[in-house]
Amino acid sequence: MKRNIKFIGKILCFLLLFAVCYSIYIRVITPKFFTDISWPTTTTYTGFYDMQKDTVDVLFLGSSHGVTSFLPQELYNQYGITGYNLGCEQQGMVTSYYWLKEALRYQSPKAVVLECYFCFPYMVDEPLNTEESYTRKAFDFMRWSPVKAEAVETICSVDTSQDKWSYYFPNIRYHTRWENLEKNDFKFHEMAEQSELKGFAPLYFYLGEEGENFEPHEEGYEGEQAEMAPLMREYLDKIADLCEEKGISLILTITPAMAADHTKCNAVHAYAAERGLTFISYNEQNVYDELGYQIPWDNCDDGHPNIWGAVKVTGYMGAVLQDEFGIEGRTDSQWEDTKEDYAWVMDQCNLDHTGEIDEYLSKLNHKGYTIVVASKDEFTYSLQESTLKLLRQLGLSANLAGQEGCNYLAVISDGQVLHEEMSFEPIEYTGTIKNGYIPIYALSMKDEWGNGLTSVRIAGEEYSKNESGMNVIVYNNKTQKIVDSVWFNTYEPDNAMGR
């Protein structure tokens, strides 16, 4: 008997060890999309599970158009309304429906805002109206429950090219990833926790003159209607039914997009009227004008608002939620504690559109950055006292005035000066940042013919512009992502800037 018990114990220990190892193996090989890229889908979904139960009053669902349009922190800052954005790239109505069902296991929202761009045919050759890779991104990090099991059954019955067992055992789908593993595959917990924006993806580019021919449609929804994709219509019905069953207000919307023509807006408006729902088109002339929205400057491309456009879109939706649906603001530490993170993200986005050296340097005084200042060739001739003062405020102390022809190198990280040196000899710095595990190398020198050279490598990537003057590299230690790399012509009076 004792021998049998011992044998059974060994088997159980083996099975437990195998399960642990298999779990780690699956975690490593499953693709991850954190805040160090533009579309942090993994962060969105892992972060949702960290929210305290029944604290989210508004859920946002839909494709990338909604991900870049609805900013939960801005909603809270303006109205005190607590929201979370569960959208993702190419999120069709099937994905929206199952993520709504999953969200209702943890939250009791008063309203759901659904971006409807993907109600219409998008990937016409794909049964789910979206590529498999985007479906996987949306469901790989959903917790296992009857909801996920149902979602997998639906996905694989609609798209018969997909294997349902590969959802249960992801190694079937991802076994070849061993050849292409990245750093994110080994630091899941560190990166997954960076969900301060609660599902929102900040973009900071301007569409520019390409958007100047955008014409909002007039108020009123008479005329031709685009035809919804049948599967999308079916699951739009399911979303509406589920919200009705749970007593949740459902708001349909189409965010600012050049491709969101009046026929799509007509169709969603007609559906909303049929179901007794509210529809908001941000492409309607009166709404567009009320917001002061400008596609060239408030969109980053023809379909996605940038962060400044998102502030406008979110502000308008907040007024609707408050005034028409009676959703009251409140104080919640989960949104209070992320106000500073949001302000920092906004500063980083503004940095890309800042061109004057003093204004630029004034935005760098944040402990979360690694900042490298590296000179090439002559760079001191036109330095002003105001610029030197701002460098000192960053913690630097070298007196650069009158040091024509010298090399200069400074490295600041987490608010601490790691290195600062001025010399007529080559200057090199080799060290680490981010608790000692991200290598950094910086160089400022002149070769034997007097030609300057700068180099800045962080985690093996070269970031210096290597242009004459002052090269400045800004790196976000938290997201481990380059924020900006610029150079200033500080040897001529105009202080021209380049990227």
Side-chain angles (χ1 to χ4, degrees):
M1 176 66 82
K2 289 184 178 179
R3 292 180 64 182
N4 288 340
I5 292 174
K6 192 173 182 179
F7 178 72
I8 292 171
K10 288 181 178 179
I11 292 177
L12 292 175
C13 287
F14 170 79
L15 292 175
L16 178 62
L17 180 61
F18 176 81
V20 171
C21 292
Y22 182 75
S23 177
I24 294 172
Y25 165 65
I26 293 303
R27 178 63 58 84
V28 170
I29 66 169
T30 302
K32 305 159 193 71
F33 307 90
F34 294 127
T35 52
D36 56 350
I37 63 172
S38 296
W39 303 99
T41 313
T42 304
T43 310
T44 293
Y45 294 128
T46 57
F48 174 75
Y49 290 115
D50 292 334
M51 303 302 295
Q52 296 172 16
K53 188 175 176 61
D54 294 332
T55 57
V56 176
D57 286 339
V58 180
L59 287 173
F60 298 96
L61 290 163
S63 67
S64 57
H65 298 78
V67 177
T68 60
S69 294
F70 297 111
L71 217 172
Q73 190 65 52
E74 186 69 27
L75 182 67
Y76 182 82
N77 289 358
Q78 287 193 41
Y79 299 96
I81 297 174
T82 57
Y84 200 97
N85 194 326
L86 281 172
C88 65
E89 314 98 287
Q90 293 193 22
Q91 184 181 102
M93 295 299 110
V94 175
T95 300
S96 296
Y97 171 69
Y98 283 109
W99 260 110
L100 175 58
K101 288 192 73 171
E102 175 69 359
L104 295 181
R105 296 175 60 218
Y106 301 90
Q107 302 294 335
S108 302
K110 296 179 175 69
V112 168
V113 178
L114 177 64
E115 214 291 330
C116 293
Y117 189 85
F118 257 71
C119 286
F120 303 94
Y122 184 76
M123 301 291 293
V124 295
D125 295 327
E126 295 288 344
L128 289 161
N129 203 32
T130 183
E131 297 176 25
E132 178 194 349
S133 60
Y134 292 103
T135 304
R136 295 274 179 174
K137 288 174 73 171
F139 286 102
D140 277 341
F141 291 94
M142 180 186 280
R143 290 177 178 174
W144 277 107
S145 73
V147 172
K148 183 168 181 175
E150 182 186 347
V152 169
E153 289 293 328
T154 298
I155 290 166
C156 296
S157 63
V158 172
D159 184 358
T160 55
S161 69
Q162 295 199 48
D163 177 8
K164 71 176 180 180
W165 292 109
S166 68
Y167 283 89
Y168 290 93
F169 303 101
N171 57 296
I172 296 173
R173 182 68 176 81
Y174 300 127
H175 65 279
T176 60
R177 284 201 72 239
W178 280 114
E179 303 171 3
N180 301 294
L181 292 180
E182 301 174 347
K183 60 181 181 180
N184 279 346
D185 292 309
F186 301 97
K187 55 181 184 178
F188 181 86
H189 291 292
E190 175 193 352
M191 298 301 291
E193 293 173 355
Q194 297 176 21
S195 56
E196 295 87 353
L197 294 181
K198 299 175 177 64
F200 174 75
L203 302 176
Y204 57 86
F205 303 110
Y206 295 148
L207 175 59
E209 62 183 17
E210 294 178 43
E212 292 177 359
N213 62 347
F214 174 73
E215 294 183 4
H217 59 78
E218 295 298 327
E219 185 177 0
Y221 295 92
E222 301 297 327
E224 182 184 356
Q225 297 179 17
E227 186 173 348
M228 294 186 184
L231 183 68
M232 300 298 98
R233 170 64 189 249
E234 176 186 347
Y235 275 83
L236 178 58
D237 283 339
K238 287 178 178 289
I239 292 169
D241 291 343
L242 181 57
C243 287
E244 183 178 359
E245 175 190 338
K246 299 295 184 181
I248 301 169
S249 298
L250 176 60
I251 303 168
L252 307 181
T253 185
I254 294 183
T255 52
M258 296 183 71
D261 62 43
H262 70 283
T263 65
K264 293 184 175 69
C265 294
N266 290 347
V268 178
H269 178 267
Y271 180 88
E274 176 187 327
R275 295 295 303 247
L277 304 174
T278 295
F279 170 58
I280 298 171
S281 170
Y282 287 90
N283 303 279
E284 185 179 299
Q285 186 73 60
N286 62 333
V287 176
Y288 189 87
D289 291 344
E290 183 177 340
L291 288 179
Y293 205 90
Q294 298 182 68
I295 284 278
W297 312 116
D298 291 322
N299 268 38
C300 70
D301 57 27
D302 62 0
H304 302 88
N306 57 35
I307 193 168
W308 303 281
V311 168
K312 295 179 179 181
V313 169
T314 303
Y316 186 92
M317 184 60 72
V320 171
L321 292 167
Q322 183 183 77
D323 299 340
E324 298 183 24
F325 291 89
I327 300 178
E328 298 179 355
R330 55 195 172 95
T331 301
D332 191 300
S333 61
Q334 296 172 106
W335 285 263
E336 287 290 330
D337 293 346
T338 53
K339 283 183 175 180
E340 185 177 336
D341 296 291
Y342 170 52
W344 187 27
V345 169
M346 185 66 78
D347 284 345
Q348 292 174 67
C349 292
N350 280 314
L351 200 62
D352 190 73
H353 302 286
T354 302
E356 196 273 325
I357 186 170
D358 285 0
E359 183 183 2
Y360 191 92
L361 293 176
S362 70
K363 296 180 183 295
L364 300 185
N365 202 356
H366 193 287
K367 290 184 178 180
Y369 287 139
T370 288
I371 304 163
V372 181
V373 181
S375 71
K376 178 183 177 182
D377 302 322
E378 170 54 40
F379 79 105
T380 65
Y381 182 75
S382 65
L383 281 175
Q384 303 297 311
E385 177 57 34
S386 59
T387 304
L388 297 174
K389 181 179 178 180
L390 288 165
L391 291 170
R392 289 192 290 269
Q393 289 176 0
L394 293 175
L396 303 177
S397 58
N399 181 10
L400 302 179
Q403 300 293 326
E404 289 84 358
C406 69
N407 301 311
Y408 178 75
L409 183 65
V411 181
I412 306 166
S413 188
D414 292 325
Q416 302 295 317
V417 178
L418 303 183
H419 185 84
E420 183 182 22
E421 186 177 354
M422 179 172 57
S423 173
F424 289 95
E425 299 298 322
I427 306 171
E428 284 186 281
Y429 172 78
T430 302
T432 59
I433 56 176
K434 188 65 178 176
N435 299 323
Y437 72 85
I438 296 181
I440 178 172
Y441 171 81
L443 167 72
S444 173
M445 64 167 289
K446 293 181 179 64
D447 62 22
E448 57 185 306
W449 297 282
N451 299 314
L453 174 67
T454 65
S455 175
V456 177
R457 295 199 298 269
I458 302 176
E461 294 289 329
E462 178 63 58
Y463 292 117
S464 175
K465 294 296 184 182
N466 191 33
E467 296 284 351
S468 297
M470 181 183 292
N471 292 263
V472 181
I473 294 84
V474 184
Y475 182 84
N476 186 321
N477 295 337
K478 187 175 183 180
T479 63
Q480 299 171 39
K481 180 179 180 179
I482 189 71
V483 175
D484 207 5
S485 176
V486 300
W487 63 275
F488 294 94
N489 173 358
T490 53
Y491 54 88
E492 292 179 346
D494 61 358
N495 281 340
M497 177 209 189
R499 279 188 164 82

